[in-house]
Amino acid sequence: MSLYHEAASILTGPGGGGSLKSRIYNNRALKSSPAHLYALVSETIKWSDLLREVVERSQLLSVEKKLTPVLAVLLAHDLLLRSGIAAAASHPLKLSITRHKTRLNAEFVKARLRRGFSSIDALRASVDLHGGSGKALGNGGPGEEKDGRVPTRPLPHPRWVRINALRTTLEAQLKTTFADYSHTDTLVSLLEAPPTEKMLHIDRHIPDLLALPPRADFTNTVAYMQGDIILQDKASCFPAYLLDPSPEDGELIDACAAPGNKTTHLASLLSERRRVSGTSTKNPSIWALERDKTRAETLKRMVETAGANHMITVKAGQDFLRVDPGNEVWGGVGAILLDPSCSGSGIVGRDEIPRLILPSRDTERQAKPSNKKKRKRGPIHESTVSGGSIIPPPQDREIPSDSITHRLSSLSAFQLKLILHAFRFQSARKVVYSTCSIHAEENEHVVIRALNSDIARRRRWSVLRREGQVVGLRKWSTRGTLSACEGLESGYGDTTEVVADACLRCLIGDGEGTIGFFVVGFVRDLTIGEDNELAPDSGATADCDEEEWEGFSDILDPELNHAWSSSGEMPTGKKKKRKK
């Protein structure tokens, strides 16, 4: 039963910084499968308001004294909403919940009917749409329209699956893993279908990418376990596809490689280009750099599972900013992928992590008959420690606007530094930069500062214009914000309009089923020599406002500190003014 005890520990223990997912997947002391543990914890949080009601009305905690409120909702979740408790039939903890199965099921049905849902599928659809926000589980009226359909609400996020061309083909997977799935031409029809419908949509922008229903789970399939399919958001596929790796590029660098989805996507695309062109080589072509050695181990496992060992060399402990672009070791690098640490403001659910709501033991005590004279009790508040408690996510605390401004300023300075460093590689002719941020400070503003730098103008770097992008992304309609591209100096052939049109943005809730994302490509004209009238690298310090970045202080944002230190791109410390 370590699964439930570890889940309870995660839900009740100190946050320690980082997202729920990172805290689980980066915890090497856990005995349970991180995937199973994360699924249990996140789904229990999502359903906790309804489960609290079921546990309280069944008086479970008043009978089973050894059960804690958090264990009660975890076990109730698997009993009522999954295939059962993951434990031996005779285990005491399992018996403490299964002997009350009839009562718990009855209370669950009553709770569903009180909310106006005629079926469990309709209730699931509503919970999935609202992500545990509580809107779907309130008692404010019927949960369905008169015809039994869930009322129109924002569409949920689909499950994206990338077919790994290193091991299989789209056609092969459609005949095996997805043989019993029907096809639909539109993403909207897939997301509006009943949650139990087996349906898929072949994406029109990214090759070998499928959209599946939000609840589709492939983690136990043979195809997933042997690396034939990879779970990867559509927006996350943009960077490698925009870089469009080819044999003519020579060697490639993924500068911030862990956990490895984009790295293996690069390998998959390059392998396909080699196959089509008839080019073959046994030598690795992709350098995957990861400063943090723990994350590098995850990267290595991902590369091995994807079958990309023959194409990718993992450089564990290697900081991209400490690589010497002039060293002959890197002389063959023609293309670089940069997906650095960012604010993560575009990640679905980052700002709306649901709360865990626990049942109260006091509620069960009040329900028990007693000969004693009852004294009046005040209302039971959900903030009490013993029960009815809410464990709020760390994101609920308000962050002063000046702290946000400082974060974005510091992040963008680092992001710019990475781009300028990439521009210095002797043979580099393509660079792709991406973030999962919605802030212009990390996106268009960084692009403009990079283009305005002396190194960009001296070495003839410009944006990869829309007409030069791969066909799938050339057709992508959402582009950069024109007003955010103001300030472009007369550089190497670019205009404000050209730069904005070269940038690609993904927006949450626009019907494309992506997270918030930004990506842009830079290309270098090698037909003309460098402009030596500009002082070498003189633009580097000017574009960083003459401040040297040495990391965030510990009091600013523990979660951000964690993300930066684990991504392996930053030294720690505080800002200090550079002496003039």
Side-chain angles (χ1 to χ4, degrees):
M1 297 291 282
S2 62
L3 173 67
Y4 299 100
H5 286 296
E6 287 181 334
S9 177
I10 289 169
L11 288 170
T12 57
S19 65
L20 175 64
K21 191 170 187 177
S22 67
R23 282 161 49 197
I24 291 176
Y25 278 82
N26 293 337
N27 190 341
R28 308 182 77 179
L30 296 174
K31 297 179 180 179
S32 307
S33 159
H36 293 165
L37 191 57
Y38 178 71
L40 172 61
V41 170
S42 58
E43 286 295 308
T44 299
I45 291 174
K46 187 189 299 184
W47 286 87
S48 62
D49 189 28
L50 186 144
L51 293 173
R52 173 193 59 173
E53 183 180 322
V54 169
V55 170
E56 287 180 347
R57 289 178 178 267
S58 67
Q59 301 183 32
L60 176 66
L61 293 177
S62 65
V63 178
E64 301 293 343
K65 303 294 185 181
K66 293 185 178 181
L67 270 185
T68 63
V70 67
L71 278 174
V73 294
L74 286 165
L75 293 166
H77 172 271
D78 276 12
L79 179 70
L80 301 171
L81 297 163
R82 301 285 290 178
S83 56
I85 309 298
S90 59
H91 196 285
L93 199 56
K94 182 172 184 175
L95 293 175
S96 69
I97 191 86
T98 55
R99 54 175 161 252
H100 304 283
K101 182 176 180 179
T102 301
R103 180 66 183 272
L104 289 166
N105 270 317
E107 293 298 341
F108 182 75
V109 172
K110 292 177 185 177
R112 171 172 59 80
L113 295 176
R114 277 194 294 272
R115 287 158 173 78
F117 292 97
S118 60
S119 68
I120 181 63
D121 286 341
L123 177 60
R124 282 185 185 276
S126 182
V127 172
D128 287 337
L129 285 171
H130 289 285
S133 63
K135 298 176 185 176
L137 299 180
N139 293 307
E144 298 175 280
E145 303 286 7
K146 292 182 179 180
D147 61 359
R149 292 183 295 105
V150 177
T152 302
R153 299 183 178 97
L155 293 175
H157 196 74
R159 172 77 70 187
W160 292 102
V161 174
R162 175 169 64 82
I163 307 301
N164 180 16
L166 291 168
R167 290 195 179 278
T168 184
T169 64
L170 174 61
E171 293 72 21
Q173 289 304 306
L174 292 177
K175 293 178 181 179
T176 54
T177 306
F178 306 102
D180 53 349
Y181 279 72
S182 62
H183 295 215
T184 177
D185 293 332
T186 67
L187 184 63
V188 172
S189 60
L190 181 147
L191 297 177
E192 289 182 341
T196 55
E197 187 81 16
K198 287 192 171 183
M199 186 180 293
L200 64 80
H201 167 69
I202 300 176
D203 188 66
R204 67 185 188 279
H205 298 108
I206 306 293
D208 297 333
L209 187 67
L210 302 177
L212 284 302
R215 293 187 58 82
D217 184 7
F218 298 95
T219 56
N220 291 322
T221 64
V222 173
Y224 174 79
M225 289 186 285
Q226 66 185 19
D228 290 346
I229 62 174
I230 294 172
L231 306 184
Q232 184 173 356
D233 191 88
K234 176 177 178 175
S236 178
C237 296
F238 276 35
Y241 189 43
L242 183 63
L243 191 63
D244 190 24
S246 69
E248 292 76 21
D249 292 330
E251 296 176 344
L252 287 69
I253 287 180
D254 186 351
C256 316
N261 279 350
K262 298 179 184 68
T263 317
T264 55
H265 191 199
L266 277 177
S268 180
L269 292 169
L270 181 57
S271 175
E272 184 64 14
R273 288 290 295 271
R274 285 176 176 174
R275 185 189 67 79
V276 172
S277 65
T279 306
S280 178
T281 177
K282 296 181 179 180
N283 298 325
S285 301
I286 301 172
W287 297 93
L289 277 51
E290 178 53 54
R291 177 181 172 184
D292 186 89
K293 292 184 178 180
T294 300
R295 285 169 55 84
E297 291 303 313
T298 302
L299 172 62
K300 289 178 181 178
R301 289 194 296 271
M302 180 68 182
V303 169
E304 183 176 358
T305 301
N309 278 325
H310 65 293
M311 298 183 67
I312 297 172
T313 300
V314 176
K315 298 288 287 184
Q318 178 63 67
D319 183 351
F320 176 66
L321 290 176
R322 295 184 181 276
V323 169
D324 179 6
N327 191 302
E328 62 180 11
V329 173
W330 312 103
V333 173
I336 300 174
L337 182 65
L338 302 173
D339 184 59
S341 298
C342 67
S343 64
S345 53
I347 298 176
V348 174
R350 171 62 61 88
D351 297 321
E352 297 182 3
I353 296 178
R355 299 176 175 184
L356 173 67
I357 306 175
L358 298 177
S360 168
R361 290 189 184 275
D362 291 340
T363 303
E364 282 77 32
R365 291 194 186 105
Q366 290 179 54
K368 295 172 68 175
S370 174
N371 294 325
K372 295 182 179 180
K373 185 177 180 180
K374 294 182 179 179
R375 61 184 180 89
K376 293 183 179 180
R377 295 178 182 265
I380 300 176
H381 298 288
E382 292 183 332
S383 59
T384 56
V385 176
S386 61
S389 60
I390 294 178
I391 300 178
Q395 286 82 353
D396 278 357
R397 68 184 187 279
E398 290 189 8
I399 302 175
S401 58
D402 57 345
S403 294
I404 296 175
T405 302
H406 175 66
R407 285 175 56 184
L408 295 178
S409 176
S410 300
L411 282 164
S412 63
F414 166 59
Q415 293 154 352
L416 174 64
K417 191 174 183 180
L418 278 177
I419 296 176
L420 299 186
H421 192 66
F423 284 175
R424 294 184 175 89
F425 280 73
Q426 298 301 311
S427 302
R429 61 191 186 97
K430 294 194 294 187
V431 170
V432 163
Y433 167 73
S434 63
T435 74
C436 51
S437 170
I438 61 175
H439 299 300
E441 290 89 339
E442 299 177 88
N443 299 328
E444 290 93 345
H445 292 184
V446 171
V447 173
I448 295 301
R449 292 170 70 190
L451 292 173
N452 286 343
S453 69
D454 287 347
I455 185 68
R457 287 181 287 175
R458 180 167 59 84
R459 307 202 71 199
R460 311 292 186 180
W461 284 97
S462 61
V463 290
L464 173 61
R465 300 189 179 196
R466 184 171 185 171
E467 59 268 23
Q469 296 170 2
V470 288
V471 175
L473 296 184
R474 192 186 311 160
K475 296 178 179 178
W476 185 257
S477 59
T478 307
R479 295 282 154 169
T481 305
L482 185 61
S483 60
C485 294
E486 295 176 354
L488 179 68
E489 300 172 3
S490 56
Y492 188 60
D494 291 328
T495 65
T496 300
E497 292 75 16
V498 167
V499 173
D501 200 42
C503 300
L504 295 92
R505 274 186 172 272
C506 298
L507 306 177
I508 301 173
D510 67 349
E512 294 288 353
T514 68
I515 61 174
F517 206 82
F518 175 89
V519 61
V520 66
F522 298 96
V523 290
R524 180 181 170 207
D525 188 349
L526 296 178
T527 63
I528 305 176
E530 294 186 13
D531 187 350
N532 293 319
E533 293 182 3
L534 292 171
D537 302 344
S538 61
T541 56
D543 283 304
C544 292
D545 296 328
E546 296 189 340
E547 288 187 337
E548 182 179 355
W549 170 253
E550 292 189 355
F552 288 110
S553 67
D554 291 339
I555 63 173
L556 178 61
D557 191 335
E559 179 176 354
L560 193 60
N561 268 335
H562 172 81
W564 281 49
S565 61
S566 61
S567 66
E569 298 126 4
M570 271 295 184
T572 58
K574 299 181 180 179
K575 272 188 175 182
K576 65 180 181 181
K577 291 286 184 179
R578 188 189 301 273
K579 292 182 180 180
K580 296 185 179 180

